[in-house]
Amino acid sequence: MGMPRNKKVDTKDAEAQSIPSKFMDPLPDNFAPVFVQNQFRTKIDLPTKELYPNVQGKCAIITGSNTGLGFESARQLLMLGLSHLIMGVRSLEKGNEAAEKLRPANLTAKIDVWQLDMESYISIQSFVHKCHNELQRLDIVILNAGLSPIKFSVSSTSHEKTIQVNHLSTALLAVLLLPCLKSKGGGKDLPRLTIVNSIMAHLCKFPNRDQRPILNSFDDINITPWDPQERYGVSKLLSQLFFVKLADMVNPDSVIINMVDPGLTKGTNLARDVKGIVGIAAKGFFSLAGRPVERGSATYVDAVLGHGKESHGCFLMNCKISPVL
């Protein structure tokens, strides 16, 4: 399931040469040195108005922005001068509570809270319909909403929840929002669509890769035994493969599409379902190795403001273009 590569390029020189992720050498099988470099030897700079001066007047959608990385990236964009924020959230009550906490970051900005249930195709379509009808401008979309459940469950769509939310619904929302970005992008900067991804895509084993139809095989625990870490990783792998292909079909002169890995980050709700001894161990590991949430969120801001057309179809890790599979 790897991406075809017509040319091999050293990762450290790739961005300077504007080489897409799909043509780069893959990450090494021994992931430990990469993890150590990412989490202990790399410092992500926080965004400043000096680095990103052209944010005022722009409108951004951030899904899952009532908590964690989505919330913090919204706060950072508002502090940079973002004029209009749309928070796509499942719970309007929690979204409105989060919006009140965000308002001091930019007292002149407009903040809207719109309902978006990533387990519902109807909700996704309604959200996009509202974007087309009510927005005069749309410059930035960050698809951050995702989950990592520890137990197998099926959503109302009849698909397993991790694959549904992290891949199927994210792909649908992106495709439906592209015309809106193309028609409502304003100013001299091209509109941006950034999808939150993960280095975990590089670590999954994908044992059911030969099953057909492949997506349905995730819905039957007897076909594909449940492993929450593996399932999260493969959901991100499927997303990578989809968005690399989608970017090939979209002109970067109309919308720039990229993916971003925020790194292992503490202070998020991604592992909220983990309880007991495992939960205590996970909390300790995140506390030791995880980035602060403001540093992880800074990678989102970098993805939408710090890169041009050279990042189209690319996977960004540590704010640099990095390999996809």
Side-chain angles (χ1 to χ4, degrees):
M1 294 294 294
M3 293 301 306
R5 293 179 175 83
N6 301 323
K7 184 177 182 181
K8 298 292 186 180
V9 178
D10 190 310
T11 300
K12 65 183 178 182
D13 297 325
E15 187 154 15
Q17 300 178 34
S18 299
I19 303 301
S21 292
K22 65 182 180 180
F23 294 142
M24 297 169 62
D25 283 333
L27 293 173
D29 291 336
N30 180 8
F31 185 67
V34 177
F35 181 81
V36 171
Q37 179 66 35
N38 287 0
Q39 299 301 133
F40 298 106
R41 298 177 180 173
T42 301
K43 185 177 180 180
I44 305 299
D45 292 330
L46 296 177
T48 65
K49 290 185 177 180
E50 288 71 32
L51 282 174
Y52 309 116
N54 301 317
V55 183
Q56 190 170 5
K58 290 185 176 181
C59 172
I61 292 171
I62 306 178
T63 66
S65 46
N66 62 298
T67 187
L69 289 161
F71 176 88
E72 177 59 22
S73 61
R75 188 187 70 83
Q76 290 179 5
L77 285 172
L78 288 167
M79 290 184 68
L80 292 173
L82 185 75
S83 294
H84 189 186
L85 170 68
I86 297 99
M87 304 173 67
V89 297
R90 185 169 187 171
S91 167
L92 289 177
E93 180 182 358
K94 292 179 180 179
N96 284 317
E97 290 175 359
E100 288 305 310
K101 295 176 182 178
L102 286 171
R103 292 189 197 283
N106 186 339
L107 295 175
T108 63
K110 181 181 180 182
I111 302 177
D112 288 324
V113 180
W114 292 359
Q115 191 162 39
L116 176 63
D117 183 352
M118 294 293 283
E119 290 185 48
S120 166
Y121 293 137
I122 293 175
S123 179
I124 292 168
Q125 291 172 311
S126 297
F127 181 86
V128 174
H129 184 73
K130 192 169 185 177
C131 291
H132 280 287
N133 286 345
E134 297 190 18
L135 295 181
Q136 298 299 313
R137 179 171 176 173
L138 181 59
D139 303 274
I140 294 167
V141 172
I142 300 176
L143 299 185
N144 162 75
L147 47 75
S148 182
I150 61 171
K151 294 182 180 180
F152 178 89
S153 61
V154 176
S155 69
S156 59
T157 61
S158 300
H159 290 298
E160 188 274 320
K161 283 188 178 182
T162 316
I163 299 297
Q164 179 64 60
V165 172
N166 295 356
H167 172 49
L168 296 173
S169 291
T170 299
L172 174 63
L173 181 56
V175 169
L176 294 180
L177 281 173
L178 276 173
C180 197
L181 279 162
K182 289 179 180 180
S183 64
K184 296 179 184 291
K188 64 178 181 178
D189 295 323
L190 290 167
R192 311 300 173 97
L193 171 62
T194 291
I195 301 90
V196 177
N197 204 270
S198 172
I199 195 66
M200 295 296 290
H202 297 250
L203 303 179
C204 62
K205 298 179 176 63
F206 205 167
N208 57 319
R209 66 180 66 200
D210 295 324
Q211 292 282 343
R212 296 294 182 272
I214 192 168
L215 290 175
N216 289 353
S217 70
F218 293 105
D219 304 331
D220 189 338
I221 200 169
N222 295 314
I223 296 175
T224 308
W226 177 252
D227 179 337
Q229 183 171 308
E230 166 72 17
R231 184 57 56 91
Y232 179 78
V234 80
S235 73
K236 294 299 185 179
L237 171 59
L238 292 170
S239 186
Q240 272 194 15
L241 296 172
F242 175 84
F243 282 105
V244 169
K245 186 64 175 178
L246 179 65
D248 285 342
M249 302 170 68
V250 175
N251 189 334
D253 289 321
S254 60
V255 179
I256 296 173
I257 301 172
N258 59 34
M259 296 168 281
V260 62
D261 169 35
L264 184 72
T265 305
K266 55 190 171 186
T268 73
N269 286 328
L270 190 62
R272 57 186 174 271
D273 294 333
V274 183
K275 308 294 183 183
I277 295 176
V278 176
I280 294 172
K283 186 176 181 180
F285 177 68
F286 273 76
S287 179
L288 175 66
R291 287 174 179 164
V293 69
E294 63 268 20
R295 302 287 174 175
S297 298
T299 66
Y300 291 15
V301 176
D302 171 80
V304 295
L305 299 178
H307 299 265
K309 288 186 284 187
E310 80 285 347
S311 73
H312 187 65
C314 290
F315 174 68
L316 302 174
M317 181 173 68
N318 298 329
C319 301
K320 297 178 181 178
I321 294 177
S322 301
V324 292
L325 292 182

